[in-house]
Amino acid sequence: GAVDNGEVGGVTYDDFLAMFYPSGYTNDNTGNPIVVPPSHMMIRTIIESDQKSYQWFAPSGINRGAIDNATAVGYVDVSGDFITASLPQSTRDVMAQNGKVNPLATLNGVGIVNYGNYTRAQAASSLDRINVARLVAYLRRQLAILAQPYLFEPNDSTTRLAIKNAA
């Protein structure tokens, strides 16, 4: 519902966008403790997930959603202190179902884990999942590469058959 930065809510929207909560606590390159946005943790998590599997596997859960570049998750309060936030199952469910915000949870014996797979797509479909949206993006890119040699060729059955066979 936010329309500008500083307001409560997300101001950016795209069907392929994913939002995560909360922020992470880690160290910078010189060892100083810092608070990082959840996107900082998720970029690394998605890269590591891709090294274990394909883009169309969800970067979530214990196997592919483990977050290892933060020691805690939480938020910065009004006084500037980092407050560790434990997200119980009930909170994670509300975040995922109502707001499509993917919770970053601390699980006992496991550590910090991405516990969601939602995109911000408003319509309920398979595209409201990160792994499916990434598969679509991958296929679009691969098909664009495949179709390059057929640009400016006649739109006839021979060209369409050649593209079909190439695909």
Side-chain angles (χ1 to χ4, degrees), residues 22-79:
S23 298
Y25 192 73
T26 188
N27 293 322
D28 65 12
N29 292 338
T30 59
N32 298 315
I34 59 170
V35 177
V36 295
S39 57
H40 169 87
M41 296 178 287
M42 284 309 301
I43 288 171
R44 179 181 170 114
T45 302
I46 290 170
I47 289 169
E48 288 182 351
S49 174
D50 288 355
Q51 291 174 349
K52 297 174 187 173
S53 59
Y54 296 102
Q55 296 103 313
W56 45 90
F57 283 71
S60 309
I62 295 170
N63 294 326
R64 290 178 305 279
I67 296 171
D68 63 0
N69 59 338
T71 57
V73 290
Y75 60 93
V76 177
D77 67 5
V78 294
S79 64

Side-chain angles (χ1 to χ4, degrees), residues 72-141:
V73 290
Y75 60 93
V76 177
D77 67 5
V78 294
S79 64
D81 296 326
F82 182 81
I83 307 299
T84 301
S86 177
L87 301 177
Q89 182 68 45
S90 58
T91 303
R92 295 193 305 254
D93 290 346
V94 169
M95 288 173 59
Q97 293 169 1
N98 297 337
K100 292 194 175 184
V101 176
N102 298 297
L104 305 181
T106 304
L107 303 180
N108 291 333
V110 176
I112 306 169
V113 175
N114 173 28
Y115 219 70
N117 192 36
Y118 285 104
T119 66
R120 296 290 288 169
Q122 292 176 344
S125 74
S126 55
L127 281 178
D128 69 357
R129 301 292 192 266
I130 294 170
N131 59 315
V132 177
R134 293 187 73 218
L135 172 61
V136 169
Y138 172 79
L139 290 174
R140 285 179 179 168
R141 184 173 54 248

Side-chain angles (χ1 to χ4, degrees), residues 146 150 158-167:
L146 178 135
Y150 303 102
T158 304
T159 303
R160 290 190 298 274
L161 181 61
I163 293 171
K164 179 180 175 182
N165 289 337

